[in-house]
Each structure stands twice: as structure tokens, then as C-alpha cells.
Amino acid sequence: MSVSDLDPVPAVALLARPGAARERLREALAHADVQIVLEDDPMTLEPQALHDARPQFVVIALEAAIEDALERLEPALSAPGLTLVFDEAELAARRDGWEAQRWGRHLAAKLHGHQQVLPPGAEDEPALQLEPGLPSTPPVPKETALQTHLEQARSWADDVPADGLYSPPAHLHEPVALEQALAALQPVLPETAGPVQAAPEPPPVPAAAPSVFTDHTAWSLVDEASDAPAVASAATSTESAEPAFDTGHLSLVDLDATAPAGSRSGALLVLAGIGGPDALRRLLAALPSGLAVPVLVHMRLDGGRYGNLVKQMARVSPLPVQLAEAGQRATAGEVHVLADDIGVHAAADGLYFQSEAQGISIAALSAEHSALVLLSGADLAHVGPALDLAAAGAWVAGQVGEGCYDPAAATAVVAAGMVAGEPQELAQVIAARWGLDDDGDAA
């Protein structure tokens, strides 16, 4: 069996309009050691031609002009075993130098299914990792090594002069123990004339009288003749005091207002970055058609094309996907894509979006009713707040597996004991905890 059989070259199809973006992607694929089985414009490509090429990966340069073409190619792009890799055409066209090489290494790692994204020459750098275990104990000196010194000291002991200048008086002696010295300093108390009388005990509390209903043999009928006037007067007073039932001011109870404020502030927050679109697509596609909490998605895009991200995720998500706007309320069972300047704040009736220069704040979520998922490329600055939210009762998970381009933040929360899994596996756990059945009840 040859080496090529053990590590086959991935077959890749490149879909991009002619221009600088297509040239940059072709150069990246040429350095990635893959086989380009198809390179064409998605505007003119037929679905059958893409199917006949039998690629394993499809690299697509996204732009607004090819949105309708991707919908036409949807049957071929949804083939089982086919992995889609998206890139912004505008970013790919101006990517150059170090940034282009860095993105090319991430693309090669994705296509070959490994985690090596460092530049050449950095693979052999030793990883400084602490290992558990006690430090090695120092060697114990052997008695034979000290024996010579002990014998020499013993031979010189008789020659050491004693201190004969001071001898303590005969009536003074040191106590043999500290307790004896302290006892000698205590004054001696005279014996008391008699024992001290104990304080009188309080009288016992009488037991509660037994209920008169315990013995049913003592029951008797009420004397109607003697009690009739009292009963009649009580009935008369009851009838006179009974108020009239006013039906003019009835109203329905606001069930949402009576629910705990924390439950209305809960949400599923998904954080992603480099490699995030593919992981996010797999996560949303595996979610059920109903969730008891809203889904908030925050993924940094260099070009800020969040409108295109909404369109991409709306094709695969069973939940409605929309772009979050300031002043809008987060709706349960819907996916809200957050821009870099959109945050949230909790109100009495739920979560509302607001303009925030720093973006989303994890601390604004209700820990008891919220979940947090860190996918590929999540910011390391979110690890600390995520673990704080988990300590307060939130469900926190991190992505693992070959499809994780940048696993630093996700691996950090997993190492802290949080839930780990592929995006599809995490979606199954989310569906079991916050999914709704056909009647709208929690699973």
C-alpha cells in the first residue's frame, strides 16, 4: 500500500466569479496540496456538473451577486459527505502577505483534517505543559557517611571544658513540665463549707390536651331546639354580609408577567470566529424547530457582512434567523445574529438588544436559565466570564473535533470541566434541555 493510499489527496471544487478573489483562493488551494476537480463560476455552473465532479470539499467565495445561484445549486451542495467552506469574496480579494499565508494554513488544516496551523519551522517547538505528580525527593544521607564524624565528636567530648563559674542554689530547681510551673503560680483557694446547691429545675410543661375528635364513641347529635336560634342568626348575618359579585372588572392574567424574571432573561449564546460559519451551520441545522429560549449568535466578521451570514444560516436553520437591532426584544425560538456593536440588557419581560461599543456582555445573561457555546475562533477574553456564568449555574460547552480551526477558547472551557462535543452533538443536548414538542411544551 502506497503513502498516497494512506493519505489521499482531498478533491476540492472552487466556486467563485472571475476576479482577484478567485485567484487568491486558487493560490491558497495550490499551496494546500489538494486536487482541484472543478473551478467554475456559480452563476453559470449546472448542479449536475458539480455532482459529476464528485468533490469532497467545495470552497465558495461569497458575495451578494451569487445568492440566487447558490439556491439553484442547493441540491448538489446538500449531498451527503460534502463539506462546504465559505469565504467572503471582498476579504479574499484584498487578503495578502502574512494574512493570506495564515488563512491558507487554516484552509489546509480544514481540508486535510489536522490541527497544524503554525508556520513552517514551528512544529518542533516543545510544549511547556505542567505534569501532575509530586517532585522527586532528595536523597537521604547514609548513616555510614556520618559515622566517622560521630565517632570523632564522641572522642572529643571529654576534652570540652565544662562551665564551672555558676552553680544554682540547692533550694531552686526547674520544673519538669510547664504545667507544674503554671500550677505553682496559682493561688490556693479555701475549701467551701458545703456543696453548691443546684438551681431548681423548671416545672414540667403539661402535655397538650388530646383532641376531642379522637374518640368517636362520645359523639352525640346536636340539640336542634336549643341551637336553632343561634344558627338562624348566623345564617342571617352571613346573607347580609355577602357582597355582590362584580363581573365588570374581570381581566385575563398576564402569564408572562407572573413568570420569574430570570427565566425570561435566559438565552442560548453562541460565540464563534475563525472557522465559525461551518461550525455554526452544523449547530443550527441540528437544532429542533422550537426552543424555549432565544438563540444569540456573535461571530466577528472582518468585513461586517452580517446580512450575508443571516442569509446563509437561514437556509439550513429550522428556526427563523434575523439580524438583531437595538430596541428589539429577543424572541424565544428564533436566532438573532449580533453585530459587533450590539449588546443585551435584561428587563422585566425579557432580553432587549441595545447599542454597546464593547458588544455582547456574558454577565448580562441570567445564569440559571442560559446556555453558552464556544465554537471555533471564539475570543479568549470570553473564557473567564463564561466560567463565571457556569459557576452561577449556566450550561457551558465547547467545540472539539477536527473541524475546529481555532480551538483555544473552546479547549479552555472544556479543560475547566465544561461539556465538550461536535456542533451536532451539542445541538442534541440543547434540544433535550430547551426543546419544545409539537404542543409548545418543554421537552
Side-chain angles (χ1 to χ4, degrees), residues 137-345:
T137 56
V140 180
K142 298 182 179 180
E143 295 182 0
T144 56
L146 299 177
Q147 189 63 30
T148 304
H149 303 282
L150 293 176
E151 293 177 356
Q152 185 179 18
R154 190 180 299 111
S155 63
W156 288 350
D158 297 335
D159 299 336
V160 177
D163 189 2
L165 299 178
Y166 172 78
S167 60
H171 66 278
L172 295 179
H173 64 278
E174 296 182 0
V176 296
L178 179 61
E179 291 79 1
Q180 294 181 2
L182 295 177
L185 299 177
Q186 297 296 331
V188 179
L189 298 178
E191 296 184 358
T192 56
V196 180
Q197 296 182 356
E201 298 182 357
V205 180
S211 176
V212 296
F213 297 104
T214 56
D215 187 8
H216 67 278
T217 59
W219 294 357
S220 61
L221 298 177
V222 179
D223 188 358
E224 297 180 358
S226 59
D227 297 340
V231 175
S233 60
T236 303
S237 61
T238 303
E239 292 177 357
S240 59
E242 182 178 0
F245 187 74
D246 186 8
T247 60
H249 298 83
L250 295 179
S251 62
L252 296 177
V253 177
D254 187 1
L255 297 179
D256 187 52
T258 59
S263 63
R264 297 190 299 274
S265 301
L268 168 61
L269 176 59
V270 182
L271 302 174
I274 297 177
D278 181 62
L280 180 62
R281 180 179 62 86
R282 290 188 286 161
L283 176 72
L284 296 182
L287 290 179
S289 58
L291 281 180
V293 292
V295 181
L296 312 182
V297 175
H298 176 62
M299 182 173 63
R300 292 191 178 275
L301 297 178
D302 295 339
R305 304 287 294 274
Y306 292 99
N308 290 344
L309 181 63
V310 170
K311 294 179 181 179
Q312 297 172 27
M313 299 307 152
R315 295 192 183 97
V316 298
S317 173
L319 301 173
V321 183
Q322 57 180 317
L323 187 63
E325 298 180 358
Q328 178 187 10
R329 178 185 176 186
T331 305
E334 295 186 4
V335 180
H336 303 273
V337 177
L338 308 181
D340 293 340
D341 58 349
I342 294 294
V344 296
H345 73 279

Side-chain angles (χ1 to χ4, degrees), residues 5 12 26 32 61 74 76 91 130 132 140 143 145 162 204 209 223-224 232 359 377 412:
D5 295 333
V12 180
R26 187 191 308 113
E74 183 67 24
L91 297 179
L130 298 179
V140 180
E143 295 182 0
D223 188 358
E224 297 180 358

